[in-house]
Amino acid sequence: MRIEQVEWTDPDALALRARQRVEIAERYGTTDSEPGTAPSEEDVVAFFVAYEHGGTAVGCGGLRELGDGVGEIKRMYVTPPWRGSEFASRILGALEDWARDKDWKSLRLETGDRQPEAVRFYTRAGYERIPNFGAYAGVEASRCFERLLR
């Protein structure tokens, strides 16, 4: 298993994000379920891809800077065959390490009410539920979390 920081436009990153969006669309019954501004090359400051031992890309995650030492986790995803392995934890660890290296004080994230496994994962990883922030404020289906990094 290896985790690599890649460009937003990396082919493996593009393919994983596309798979994630298809899965989210199936869960929510719409291709437009993102309450906030979709992440992009312009606002994602770091993006990581996880590879299994054979070199196949199986997961990803990125960071958007929110300001004042706070970042937001975006497009965290592990393909279904690799869920329950250590890939999600290792990707999250890479994101947190990158943020700590930049002296960020916390990471936030938003997930949805139809993603209970994501809620469990982040809660187990030490993220606590917070009031919905930014574009997610007032969005009933959004679930927001934060973890202090220091």
Side-chain angles (χ1 to χ4, degrees):
M1 171 189 318
R2 75 181 196 278
I3 311 289
E4 290 184 15
Q5 187 172 353
V6 300
E7 296 295 321
W8 178 259
T9 56
D10 176 87
D12 291 328
L14 290 169
L16 287 164
R17 288 195 309 271
R19 287 183 73 176
Q20 187 234 16
R21 296 315 300 160
V22 166
E23 186 173 321
I24 294 297
E26 289 171 355
R27 282 187 188 222
Y28 290 90
T30 178
T31 58
D32 186 27
S33 64
E34 184 150 0
T37 303
S40 69
E41 184 174 15
E42 288 74 37
D43 70 357
V44 172
V45 296
F47 201 82
F48 293 83
V49 171
Y51 298 89
E52 53 87 22
H53 293 295
T56 301
V58 299
C60 64
L63 292 171
R64 172 189 280 164
E65 188 170 5
L66 297 178
D68 296 323
V70 178
E72 181 182 7
I73 298 170
K74 298 301 296 179
R75 295 301 187 257
M76 179 84 173
Y77 178 71
V78 174
T79 58
W82 294 97
R83 292 182 188 156
S85 68
E86 288 296 310
F87 281 100
S89 295
R90 295 276 304 270
I91 295 166
L92 184 59
L95 296 171
E96 292 173 345
D97 288 346
W98 190 95
R100 281 188 197 95
D101 286 347
K102 301 297 180 197
D103 292 324
W104 289 4
K105 62 183 178 182
S106 68
L107 287 179
R108 293 180 180 173
L109 64 98
E110 182 270 347
T111 190
D113 61 351
R114 295 185 188 178
Q115 296 167 265
E117 65 283 339
V119 170
R120 280 191 305 275
F121 170 75
Y122 289 116
T123 301
R124 286 184 197 145
Y127 286 75
E128 295 182 2
R129 182 87 187 266
I130 60 170
N132 290 359
F133 65 94
Y136 315 113
V139 179
E140 205 170 304
S142 287
R143 305 289 181 264
C144 292
F145 295 83
E146 182 173 39
R147 180 175 181 197
L148 299 179
L149 297 175
R150 297 180 185 178

